[in-house]
Amino acid sequence: MTNYASLRAPSGALAVTVDAVRKRFGSTIAVDAVDLRASGGVIGLLGPNGAGKTTLLRMLATVLEPDEGSISLLGLDPRRADERLAIRRQLGYLPQEPGLYQGFSAFDLVDYVAVLKEHTDRGARRQEVRRALALFGITDVMHKKIRTLSGGTRKRVALAAAVLGNPTLLVLDEPAAGLDPEHRLQLRSVLSDAGSRGTVVVSTHHTAEAAALCQQVVVLIDGRVRFCGAPSELAALATGRVWIDDAHDGNSRPAGTVQSWITAEGHVRHIGDPPQGAELADPTIDDGYLLVTHAEVVTP
Amino acid sequence: MTAAALTSMTAADAERSADRQAVYVLAQTEARRHLKGVALWFGLLGMAFTGLSGRGSDWQGAVYESFPLLFVPLAAATFLAGVRSGGRDRRSDLPCLAEGAPLDATARATGRLLGMAPFVVATTLAVVAVEAGIRIEGGHWIGESPGRTDSAVHTLPELVQPIAFVALAAVAGIAAGRAFRRHGPITVLGMIVGFMMWSVWWAFQFMPIAVFALVQTAPIREYAGPPGSDPDSFPADWLLARPDEYTHAWMRVYVDQWLSAGHVVYLLGLAALFTAAAVRGSRGRRWLLAGLAVVAIGIIVQLAATGFALTPGGTGPGQQP
């Protein structure tokens, strides 16, 4: 089924090594002096829109070359054509917009991607396609044309295409976007399984998703890494900066707070400096992320 | 040679083989889609329509010369299918599918080029079927009395020309699909070219334009004598066309196998040039050089066959003084 590359990751090599990588588009610096190390598990990239997540993931997916710095994937150098091919044989990539062919059925499309991934044995390939579609619960609509599927189902088709052949390195750009809660949980299960066998780098806007799934989170802002560590460490950055206040006066935000909102319980939750009379609350990853993005905490 | 070097060579060979095998599988996948799609069948339908509508023509050589025109609808459909296939990863509103997959753009283009095989195979079968029908019926009428035949059959280069033409359309479609993000204008352009080749084909059948035209019909006409000439005064083995409202002279009509063969070579050269545009890179440069050489050979062979008749008013065969 899979054609194994002669070039393999040297044993003990880090799955992802990013050293001082910089990427520009005209005068815009999309990724600026980024360092990253990953050797298995699920790594989450967090950051606001335009932070450089997609550019970094495209470089990790070998479709974009850095202007400066170096990237090593599975111990191989993606700048060398033969090593890039070897990486691609062990890579699954979900771009932000997967470019699905609208006139294909879901099955035919994933089968087509399997061919592009060098799954040449027809019987084994079709079996693998069915397995990937079943992982995301698409078997019942697999003969429908892509153009007739909902946005969430299309995303699941693209995910099925990305996980074909159980890649050693999975690079996924906002895989949970557009998925309903049930399928988001399904995705978690697939990704945690993939992370236990290899390395998954995933970008997301959902901090809760990152907290639930990732062993390591990286917060990118303006192309730079502002935080890198475990989700609990990101949450811990907000220790002593989260407050609950029973009394609230409309939507006003007390001075010194980064964000305030009324919770489902009717309390006001403040992030930042303590408002008068507020009580200290347990921080979450959301709180830590918010403080990092507002440059309210100094990260190592 | 060391064992390590041998192992390395074997691994490299295995990789190349895996890559090549994947390209063939991609070609098969594309071919299956073409067989399931409408373009091929519409093309064959258009071919049948052209064949049936041309049977009533009643001047000498009319049915004989309509043979390559039969395949213009099929070539147009082939071009459109090629644009669709070659442009799968280059649509204005969509990014490339599976960008990080091992098969890169060149390998995909190669697979898609090979995947156009059903169109070429269908054309070959159609050529064989049509020519078999012609031969069963006894052949075609060419020439007026006294030199007249009703048993003219097409020569081998004439039979190969539609196959080369459809192959060219396939390759041009793949190249255009890969080159242009917006497929609408290129599709319209393809349809216009196809329509011109089909409806006003005669406008391109004079020297030296016929050398460069995509469709070249036979028999070709060569000035024989003024309208008042006695047809018996011409050599007995000549086939003649009498003066009519379009040609105010006696014309000699004949089939030149070298001209037809040169035209096939010219079409194949153009196909090689479009292959260069489709695959690009170092392999594309090799196709470009080969294509230029083959096109040049095809043109030279044709010009030599017509006595280097470079202008319509020249003195070479096929021209009127």
Side-chain angles (χ1 to χ4, degrees), chain B residues 190-261:
Chain B
M191 294 301 285
I192 291 171
V193 171
F195 187 72
M196 284 169 72
M197 292 298 116
W198 187 66
S199 63
V200 289
W201 56 273
W202 42 266
F204 306 100
Q205 305 308 318
F206 61 91
M207 292 301 155
I209 298 300
V211 168
F212 303 98
L214 293 177
V215 174
Q216 187 186 75
T217 60
I220 58 170
R221 290 157 173 252
E222 180 185 328
Y223 176 79
S229 303
D230 175 5
D232 289 323
S233 65
F234 298 118
D237 60 333
W238 279 18
L239 296 172
L240 299 168
R242 66 175 69 251
D244 58 21
E245 56 183 312
Y246 305 109
T247 312
H248 306 289
W250 280 95
M251 305 292 282
R252 181 191 174 195
V253 292
Y254 65 97
V255 174
D256 188 318
Q257 291 206 52
W258 279 105
L259 180 66
S260 296

Side-chain angles (χ1 to χ4, degrees), chain A residues 211-252:
Chain A
L213 190 64
C214 303
Q215 284 84 54
Q216 190 185 347
V217 289
V218 176
V219 180
L220 269 183
I221 296 167
D222 294 334
R224 285 178 164 270
V225 175
R226 296 300 165 113
F227 173 85
C228 182
S232 58
E233 291 171 330
L234 181 57
L237 291 177
T239 304
R241 305 293 306 276
V242 185
W243 310 88
I244 289 283
D245 190 357
D246 284 333
H248 57 86
D249 49 351
N251 292 324
S252 68

Side-chain angles (χ1 to χ4, degrees), chain A residues 3 6-7 58 61 63 85 88-89 91 97-101 103-104 108 112-113 115-118 120 122 125, chain B residues 11 15 18-19 21-22 25-26 29-30 32-33 88-89 94-103 108 112:
Chain A
N3 299 297
S6 62
L7 286 163
R58 283 173 66 76
V63 296
L85 183 59
R88 287 183 170 193
R89 284 176 170 151
L91 173 78
E97 291 176 87
L100 308 179
Y101 304 153
F104 279 53
D108 285 349
Y112 196 91
V113 173
V115 173
L116 299 179
K117 288 186 164 186
E118 298 183 332
T120 51
R122 191 161 188 238
R125 185 178 73 239
Chain B
E15 282 201 19
D19 197 35
Q21 204 181 344
V25 174
L26 177 62
T29 306
E30 288 286 350
R32 267 197 293 273
R33 291 200 70 82
R88 290 205 198 286
D89 292 326
L94 290 171
C96 172
L97 178 75
E99 259 186 310
L103 282 202
R108 293 182 193 197
R112 286 164 185 160

Side-chain angles (χ1 to χ4, degrees), chain A residues 74-146:
Chain A
L74 307 169
L76 302 165
D77 182 355
R79 282 171 303 190
R80 289 171 51 98
D82 54 343
E83 295 191 22
R84 183 169 58 245
L85 183 59
I87 294 165
R88 287 183 170 193
R89 284 176 170 151
Q90 302 167 72
L91 173 78
Y93 173 46
L94 172 80
Q96 204 168 31
E97 291 176 87
L100 308 179
Y101 304 153
Q102 303 296 304
F104 279 53
S105 70
F107 184 91
D108 285 349
L109 185 112
V110 179
D111 186 60
Y112 196 91
V113 173
V115 173
L116 299 179
K117 288 186 164 186
E118 298 183 332
H119 293 245
T120 51
D121 182 284
R122 191 161 188 238
R125 185 178 73 239
R126 293 174 88 84
Q127 201 176 336
E128 172 61 9
V129 169
R130 281 194 198 92
R131 183 196 71 82
L133 289 169
L135 268 183
F136 293 96
I138 327 170
T139 42
D140 53 336
V141 292
M142 68 183 182
H143 294 302
K144 288 192 173 176
K145 295 259 193 266
I146 295 291

Side-chain angles (χ1 to χ4, degrees), chain A residues 189-202:
Chain A
S189 160
V190 172
L191 296 191
S192 63
D193 184 43
S196 68
R197 283 180 282 102
T199 305
V200 181
V201 185
V202 54

Side-chain angles (χ1 to χ4, degrees), chain B residues 49-128:
Chain B
F49 171 75
T50 308
L52 292 174
S53 62
R55 286 181 75 87
S57 305
D58 59 353
W59 65 92
Q60 72 75 32
V63 181
Y64 186 97
E65 72 185 355
S66 69
F67 176 73
L69 306 173
L70 286 180
F71 300 89
V72 174
L74 185 54
T78 303
F79 176 78
L80 298 184
V83 169
R84 204 175 166 80
S85 171
R88 290 205 198 286
D89 292 326
R90 194 164 166 78
R91 301 294 299 266
S92 55
D93 53 343
L94 290 171
C96 172
L97 178 75
E99 259 186 310
L103 282 202
D104 62 11
T106 298
R108 293 182 193 197
T110 307
R112 286 164 185 160
L113 282 169
L114 296 172
M116 297 300 286
F119 290 92
V120 180
V121 171
T123 309
T124 307
L125 293 176
V127 164
V128 170

